[in-house]
Amino acid sequence: MATILLVEDNPANMKLAAFVLTQGGHEVLCTTTADAALALVRERLPALVLMDVQLPGMDGLAATRRLKADPATRAIPVVALTAFAMRGDAERIRDAGCDGYIAKPIRYRELLAEVARMLDGGAEDEQAPARGMS
């Protein structure tokens, strides 16, 4: 299917998401830092990036801003993985350039549905509801 970069510093979340994506037929690249993610995206040009918001060092939103500012990577959809569930967080995530978001704890059906939406061009669908937060 597609190559997906999973950027997650929590081992349990990484293992769960990677397992679900692999079972869904995707090739999964994994890393735990934003700096490594930026390098992997430029090297492998995945079809989708699942980006944890809270990462050690550079956070996921800063990394997303860099990806969206680079002509070589700006078209790659980025979905934020976030434990945040407060008002204003959805706007902050979108302002960073994320094309969608999934709230933690990750639910496998929600993850696969959002991945399918993004891979089907859903990142350009302004009418699609935000995922994971209300």
Side-chain angles (χ1 to χ4, degrees):
M1 295 263 300
T3 299
I4 298 171
L5 174 60
L6 175 59
V7 188
E8 172 63 67
D9 66 328
N10 178 295
N13 289 341
M14 172 83 76
K15 186 175 182 178
L16 172 64
F19 176 78
V20 169
L21 294 167
T22 301
Q23 291 299 305
H26 301 288
E27 176 187 5
V28 182
L29 308 172
C30 296
T31 190
T32 59
T33 68
D35 288 322
L38 292 172
L40 268 172
V41 170
R42 291 179 183 124
E43 178 185 322
R44 298 287 304 271
L45 296 175
L48 175 66
V49 176
L50 299 174
M51 181 77 74
D52 186 10
V53 171
Q54 290 186 297
L55 293 168
M58 180 191 321
D59 71 24
L61 298 182
T64 298
R65 284 186 199 94
R66 288 189 184 187
L67 291 173
K68 295 300 183 172
D70 184 340
T73 59
R74 77 169 43 126
I76 298 170
V78 177
V79 174
L81 302 176
T82 179
F84 298 130
M86 298 175 64
R87 286 184 188 236
D89 289 330
E91 184 177 333
R92 192 170 64 90
I93 288 166
R94 280 191 212 101
D95 287 348
C98 293
D99 300 286
Y101 54 89
I102 297 172
K104 294 178 186 177
I106 296 170
R107 293 168 195 83
Y108 76 92
R109 287 186 181 139
E110 181 182 328
L111 175 63
L112 290 175
E114 185 68 353
V115 166
R117 187 176 82 84
M118 288 294 140
L119 294 176
D120 288 341
E124 298 171 8
D125 184 358
E126 295 287 329
Q127 308 233 348
R131 303 291 191 249
M133 290 191 240
S134 49

